[in-house]
Amino acid sequence: MSRRNVLFQAFVLVFLAASGLGPSRAEEPFVTVASTTSTEQSGLFSYLIPLFKKDSGIDVRVIAVGTGQALAIGARGDADALLVHDRQGEDKFVADGNGIDRRDVMYNDFILIGPKSDPAKIRGEKDAKEALRKIAAAKAPFASRGDDSGTHRLELRLWKAAGVDVSPAKAVWRRETGSGMGPTLNLAAGIDAYVLADRATWANFKNRQNLEILSEGDPGLLNRYGSILVNPARFPHVKADAARRWHEWLTSEAGRRAIADFKVNGEQVFFLETAPI
C-alpha cells in the first residue's frame, strides 16, 4: 500500500472518530419510554429530555403511541418506563405484574372542539355528556381517534355514560382515524367536525381553520398522567437503573419545575399534582 493511501485512510479514521460516525464511538446511555402522542405532539418531550440529559447524562428515546399501545409495549417488556394517561389501564398494568411504582406526574384537561358554526349548539355547555348527546342528536360530524389511546378510551366512556350508541351502524356521523391527536384534529379541521382533544396538543396545533373550543370545564374531563417503571423482576433485560433515574427525575423538584415551566404560545398546558402519588 502506498504511503499516500496509508495517510488517506488514517485521515478518514480520525475524521470518523472526531465526528462520532466511526465504530469506535461508544453508544451513549439511554432509556426507552413508551408514551402518548399528546406528550410528544405538544412539544413536552422536546423540552424535557435535554434538561434530563443535562442532569443525568442519559438520553430518552420515546415511542409515542396511544396509551393502550404504550401499555401493550410495556407488557411485552419492549420499553423501560411508561408515561401514559388512563388510570384504569395503568392500575391493571401494575396489578398484572408488568409495572411497579406508578406515580402521578401532572395533569391537564380534555376539551370538546368543533366548528365555529356549531350545528349541535354545544357552545358553553359545561356537561360533556350533554354536549355529546347534542352532537349525536344533530348527527353532526365527529372525529374520533379510534386508536385505543387514553383519549379514545375516555371518549368511549363518555358516549356510554351519555347513553349514545356509537357503533358504526348507528353512528355513521362519527369517523375514526386510527391515528394520534394531531391527525385527528387535522381531519376535524378538514370536515368541520367535533372532536375530543387534550388541551396541550390543541395549544400546539396550527391547522385550526374553523375549529375552536366549544365545551370545557367538566370535572370528568380531567386528564392525569402517570409514570410507571416496567417491572425488572418480570423483564430482566430492561434498563432498570436508567429508567428509575428518569422516573424519579420527573417527580423531583427539578422535573416538576421543568413541567410547570413548559408553555405553548405562552400558555401553561400541564399542571402539577400537589404531591406525586
Side-chain angles (χ1 to χ4, degrees):
M1 183 181 293
S2 70
R3 183 171 180 271
R4 177 178 294 179
N5 286 339
V6 170
L7 291 173
F8 177 74
Q9 290 191 11
F11 169 79
V12 169
L13 289 172
V14 170
F15 172 78
L16 289 174
S19 63
L21 299 174
S24 61
R25 180 175 179 252
E27 188 176 70
E28 64 184 0
F30 70 91
V31 59
T32 300
V33 176
S35 189
T36 74
T37 61
S38 59
T39 47
E40 181 191 47
Q41 292 172 358
S42 65
L44 178 68
F45 272 124
S46 297
Y47 177 78
L48 291 183
I49 290 171
L51 298 175
F52 171 69
K53 187 175 179 180
K54 182 179 179 181
D55 279 0
S56 66
I58 300 169
D59 196 12
V60 178
R61 300 182 182 178
V62 178
I63 305 171
V65 290
T67 284
Q69 295 175 64
L71 291 166
I73 288 168
R76 296 194 300 268
D78 290 337
D80 305 308
L82 309 179
L83 182 61
V84 289
H85 62 139
D86 177 43
R87 186 58 189 263
Q88 292 182 21
E90 295 165 42
D91 288 345
K92 184 176 187 304
F93 182 82
V94 173
D96 289 346
N98 296 314
I100 59 172
D101 195 19
R102 189 261 175 212
R103 299 184 185 184
D104 278 338
V105 175
M106 59 195 181
Y107 69 92
N108 61 9
D109 64 339
F110 291 103
I111 49 182
L112 275 166
I113 295 160
K116 293 176 183 177
S117 59
D118 189 22
K121 309 300 182 193
I122 70 165
R123 183 178 277 106
E125 177 61 66
K126 296 295 184 182
D127 184 331
K129 296 185 293 296
E130 182 59 27
L132 291 178
R133 290 188 196 104
K134 290 179 178 179
I135 292 169
K139 294 182 170 52
F142 187 94
S144 168
R145 287 181 58 167
D147 63 348
D148 195 34
S149 60
T151 306
H152 180 227
R153 291 180 176 192
L154 174 66
E155 181 210 322
L156 292 179
R157 289 196 292 268
L158 288 171
W159 286 120
K160 184 177 181 179
V164 178
D165 183 352
V166 291
S167 61
K170 295 285 187 179
V172 295
W173 39 269
R174 181 175 170 273
R175 296 263 304 271
E176 292 193 350
T177 66
S179 300
M181 198 70 257
T184 304
L185 282 167
N186 276 323
L187 173 65
I191 65 173
D192 277 349
Y194 293 92
V195 60
L196 179 72
D198 66 281
R199 191 179 294 272
T201 305
W202 171 252
N204 203 36
F205 182 65
K206 304 299 190 295
N207 181 35
R208 295 185 178 186
Q209 299 188 47
N210 295 319
L211 298 182
E212 63 182 21
I213 298 173
L214 294 175
S215 177
E216 58 185 326
D218 186 326
L221 297 182
L222 193 65
N223 181 29
R224 282 194 161 93
Y225 290 79
S227 177
I228 310 172
L229 292 170
V230 174
N231 188 356
R234 174 163 290 183
F235 305 105
H237 62 276
V238 300
K239 299 182 179 70
D241 292 341
R244 182 162 289 281
R245 290 280 299 276
W246 160 254
H247 182 66
E248 293 185 347
W249 183 85
L250 276 179
T251 51
S252 71
E253 182 179 348
R256 286 164 59 81
R257 184 171 60 248
I259 291 167
D261 287 346
F262 173 68
K263 293 179 173 62
V264 177
N265 300 322
E267 176 187 0
Q268 183 176 351
V269 291
F270 292 103
F271 300 86
L272 299 174
E273 304 287 352
T274 53
I277 299 171

